[in-house]
């Protein structure tokens, strides 16, 4: 039920279009237009219509025209009018079925797992609301009016400056405010970058195999670019496969391969750069979860070693919230201008208040504080997962455990990935397989466990259920 707005002030405009050459009386046209809006739900029950004098002035008709239209609709029950007050849409006005609010989605029991190891479910309950609110307040109080106007395509200078300092310090990038562009997350960064490369004549994009299947690949397809896979080994992309690789861009997750978790060694990083220098191809470094590193030494971004050859993309999706749609890309200088133009064309720039708030949050050290608070939480969740797997499913082989918010557990040869996932679902456990992310089939199955949004006891329960599901057979 729409909330009654009987006491609210009237809507100020109705944007009714009158056709003075139509021959139909003007009061009839006003009446028909309002009736249709009530029926479609555009004018909800309880809403107050403009006073007759105001609407008449807006439509440039005599007041009598509006009075007559309202009177007819009152007579039909669409409007209610009490002497002296506003005319309202009647609480019982008929609304066409198509315009009613859709019923809330109902989910079957099978779609509601008891334990969901779904990847990408950041710990939204841990969002630093109080600190963020302080930054919002400061920004709203201090931002001069003129900063609320249209933006340039690169993003707020405050955020680009704060990010350059942060990324150079924490990720070893070689970034300046001039080489950073703010995006709506990684998804937009990769989309715009591939668009720029395609416009320059780029025809082939290389991606890791396996890799995420919902960003670069469909975008490249839509741009008419060919997608080729480069195999991934235990330590990230297999650089021996680069020898014959002919591509305009290579998209990598070198700090924590997605999904298998391998880390590209310093020697392999150097080989990637050498390949890029030899072929003239661009490397896109997707540094999606580098902030979370547990028991390994920090590994700097490849971009820091080759800022002319590498574009570095980061996101707030894993550290703050995916719904923010806030990301950044550090570009080789020659690509900044075309990329910023593409960004401006795509959406006229990311929302300024979010950018300024994040800049404040970063430069006051709140982001570092938030990460310091989150790391031990995620580490103990990962440890709980590893302990439960070791106890209940020792035949699974965890990989990529040293960083991030997920891990892969490889299945033994006698366990089929799809069968295990289906059995797990019957025990109330949602877990994804590695196969959907592959470009070419591989014999070994694996499960992707996201653990960031589950408490330790839920993790233990989920693994016990999974073990029961596997023991139960197909
Ligand atoms: C491999 C990879 N890159 C990047 C991202 C972040 O994407 P976005 O910033 O568009 O939310 C994700 C999110 O899950 C991811 O899995």
């Amino acid at each position: 039920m729409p909330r009654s707005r009987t006491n609210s002030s009237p809507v100020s405009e109705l944007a009714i279009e009158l056709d003075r050459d139509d021959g139909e009386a003007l009061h009839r046209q006003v009446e028909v237009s309002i009736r249709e809006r009530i029926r479609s739900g555009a004018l909800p029950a309880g809403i107050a219509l403009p006073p007759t004098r105001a609407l008449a002035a807006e439509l440039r008709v005599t007041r009598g025209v509006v009075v007559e239209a309202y009177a007819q609709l009152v007579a039909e029950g669409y409007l209610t009018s009490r002497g002296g007050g506003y005319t309202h849409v009647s609480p019982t006005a008929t609304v066409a079925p198509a315009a009613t609010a859709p019923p809330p989605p109902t989910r079957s029991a099978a779609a509601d797992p008891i334990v969901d190891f779904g990847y990408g479910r950041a710990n939204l309950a841990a969002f630093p609301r109080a600190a963020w609110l302080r930054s919002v307040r400061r920004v709203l109080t201090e931002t001069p009016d003129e900063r609320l106007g249209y933006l340039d395509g690169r993003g707020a200078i405050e955020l680009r400056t704060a990010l350059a300092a942060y990324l150079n310090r924490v990720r070893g990038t070689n970034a300046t405010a001039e080489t950073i562009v703010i995006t709506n997350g990684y998804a937009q960064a990769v989309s715009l970058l591939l668009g720029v490369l395609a416009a320059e004549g780029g025809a082939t994009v290389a991606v890791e195999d396996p890799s995420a299947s919902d960003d670069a690949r469909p975008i490249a397809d839509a741009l008419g670019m060919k997608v080729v896979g480069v195999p991934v080994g235990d330590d990230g992309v297999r650089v021996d496969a680069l020898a014959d690789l002919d591509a305009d861009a290579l998209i990598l997750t070198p700090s924590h391969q997605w999904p298998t978790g391998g880390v590209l060694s310093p020697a392999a990083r150097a080989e990637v750069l050498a390949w890029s220098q030899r072929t003239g191809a661009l490397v896109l470094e997707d540094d999606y979860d580098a902030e979370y590193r547990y028991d390994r030494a920090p590994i700097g971004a490849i971009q820091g070693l080759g800022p002319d050859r590498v574009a570095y993309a980061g996101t707030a999706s894993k550290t703050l919230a995916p719904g923010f749609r806030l990301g950044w890309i550090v570009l080789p200088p020659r690509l900044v201008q075309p990329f910023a133009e593409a960004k401006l064309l795509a959406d006229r720039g990311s929302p300024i208040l979010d950018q300024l708030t994040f800049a404040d949050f970063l430069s006051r050290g709140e982001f570092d504080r938030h990460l310091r608070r989150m790391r031990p939480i995620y580490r103990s969740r990962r440890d709980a997962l590893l302990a439960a797997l070791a106890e209940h499913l020792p035949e699974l082989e965890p990989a990529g455990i040293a960083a991030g918010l997920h891990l892969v557990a490889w299945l033994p040869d006698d366990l089929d990935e799809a069968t295990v996932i289906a059995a797990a679902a019957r025990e109330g456990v949602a877990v994804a397989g590695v196969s959907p992310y592959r470009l070419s089939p591989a014999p070994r199955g694996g499960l992707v466990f996201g653990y960031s949004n589950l408490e330790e006891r839920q993790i233990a329960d989920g693994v016990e259920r999974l073990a029961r599901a596997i023991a139960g057979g197909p």
Side-chain angles (χ1 to χ4, degrees), residues 119-120 184-187 212 215 253 258 286 288 315 317-318 322 325:
Y119 164 74
N184 290 352
Y186 171 76
D215 40 52
T253 47
W258 200 92
D286 172 6
Y288 65 104
T315 175
S317 289
K318 303 281 166 254
R325 307 313 307 137

Side-chain angles (χ1 to χ4, degrees), residues 289-321:
D289 69 0
E291 291 82 0
Y292 301 114
R293 173 177 43 75
Y294 310 114
D295 25 38
R296 67 163 209 223
I299 294 164
I302 300 187
Q303 190 274 350
L305 308 173
D308 292 334
R309 302 257 41 97
V310 182
Y312 168 98
T315 175
S317 289
K318 303 281 166 254
T319 48
L320 290 172

Side-chain angles (χ1 to χ4, degrees), residues 142-212:
E142 292 165 13
T143 301
D145 297 345
E146 54 275 17
R147 295 301 306 282
L148 304 179
Y150 278 110
L151 312 163
D152 81 14
R154 290 179 301 163
I157 181 68
E158 293 88 339
L159 180 53
R160 290 187 281 121
T161 306
L163 273 172
Y166 171 78
L167 294 172
N168 293 346
R169 169 169 60 86
V170 172
R171 300 297 303 127
T173 53
N174 184 334
T176 66
E178 277 62 50
T179 54
I180 295 183
V181 177
I182 306 304
T183 62
N184 290 352
Y186 171 76
Q188 188 182 43
V190 67
S191 168
L192 297 180
L193 187 64
L194 292 185
V196 167
L197 296 182
E200 285 182 346
T204 306
V205 181
V207 298
E208 296 162 316
D209 184 8
S211 59

Side-chain angles (χ1 to χ4, degrees), residues 10-321:
V11 290
S12 59
E13 288 177 23
L14 285 182
I16 293 171
E17 273 186 40
L18 297 178
D19 183 351
R20 289 179 159 83
D21 303 325
D22 178 279
E24 173 110 73
L26 291 176
H27 69 86
R28 282 276 305 142
Q29 294 189 41
V30 174
E31 182 192 311
V32 166
S33 179
I34 295 176
R35 187 188 296 109
E36 274 170 8
R37 277 161 214 227
I38 294 172
R39 290 179 64 85
S40 74
L43 283 175
I47 204 163
L49 296 190
T52 50
R53 196 182 303 279
L55 185 56
E58 185 194 325
L59 300 179
R60 282 188 276 127
V61 296
T62 61
R63 187 166 162 238
V65 167
V66 179
V67 169
E68 194 162 347
Y70 278 13
Q72 179 60 31
L73 292 168
V74 168
E76 291 176 18
Y78 284 100
L79 300 180
T80 56
S81 163
R82 257 174 279 125
Y86 294 123
T87 302
H88 292 90
V89 175
S90 157
T92 55
T94 326
V95 172
T100 54
T106 53
R107 303 186 69 201
S108 69
D112 273 331
I114 297 163
V115 181
D116 189 350
F117 286 109
Y119 164 74
R121 292 157 43 85
N123 188 345
L124 303 178
F127 183 78
R129 287 175 189 252
W132 190 262
L133 188 60
R134 285 195 295 277
S135 291
V136 170
R137 267 188 214 289
R138 260 192 302 271
V139 163
L140 277 177
T141 311
E142 292 165 13
T143 301
D145 297 345
E146 54 275 17
R147 295 301 306 282
L148 304 179
Y150 278 110
L151 312 163
D152 81 14
R154 290 179 301 163
I157 181 68
E158 293 88 339
L159 180 53
R160 290 187 281 121
T161 306
L163 273 172
Y166 171 78
L167 294 172
N168 293 346
R169 169 169 60 86
V170 172
R171 300 297 303 127
T173 53
N174 184 334
T176 66
E178 277 62 50
T179 54
I180 295 183
V181 177
I182 306 304
T183 62
N184 290 352
Y186 171 76
Q188 188 182 43
V190 67
S191 168
L192 297 180
L193 187 64
L194 292 185
V196 167
L197 296 182
E200 285 182 346
T204 306
V205 181
V207 298
E208 296 162 316
D209 184 8
S211 59
S213 55
D214 59 354
D215 40 52
R217 288 193 237 162
I219 292 161
D221 284 345
L223 288 165
M225 299 173 100
K226 187 171 147 203
V227 176
V228 294
V230 187
V232 162
D234 290 345
D235 304 317
V237 76
R238 279 196 14 222
V239 287
D240 58 312
L242 297 181
D244 302 325
L245 179 66
D246 180 13
D248 300 288
L250 169 61
I251 302 180
L252 292 182
T253 47
S255 299
H256 191 228
Q257 203 279 328
W258 200 92
T260 63
V263 180
L264 216 54
S265 69
R269 286 159 186 253
E271 286 202 42
V272 168
L273 266 183
W275 170 82
S276 159
Q277 268 144 5
R278 198 170 65 242
T279 60
L282 181 80
V283 175
L284 172 56
E285 178 172 19
D286 172 6
D287 208 30
Y288 65 104
D289 69 0
E291 291 82 0
Y292 301 114
R293 173 177 43 75
Y294 310 114
D295 25 38
R296 67 163 209 223
I299 294 164
I302 300 187
Q303 190 274 350
L305 308 173
D308 292 334
R309 302 257 41 97
V310 182
Y312 168 98
T315 175
S317 289
K318 303 281 166 254
T319 48
L320 290 172

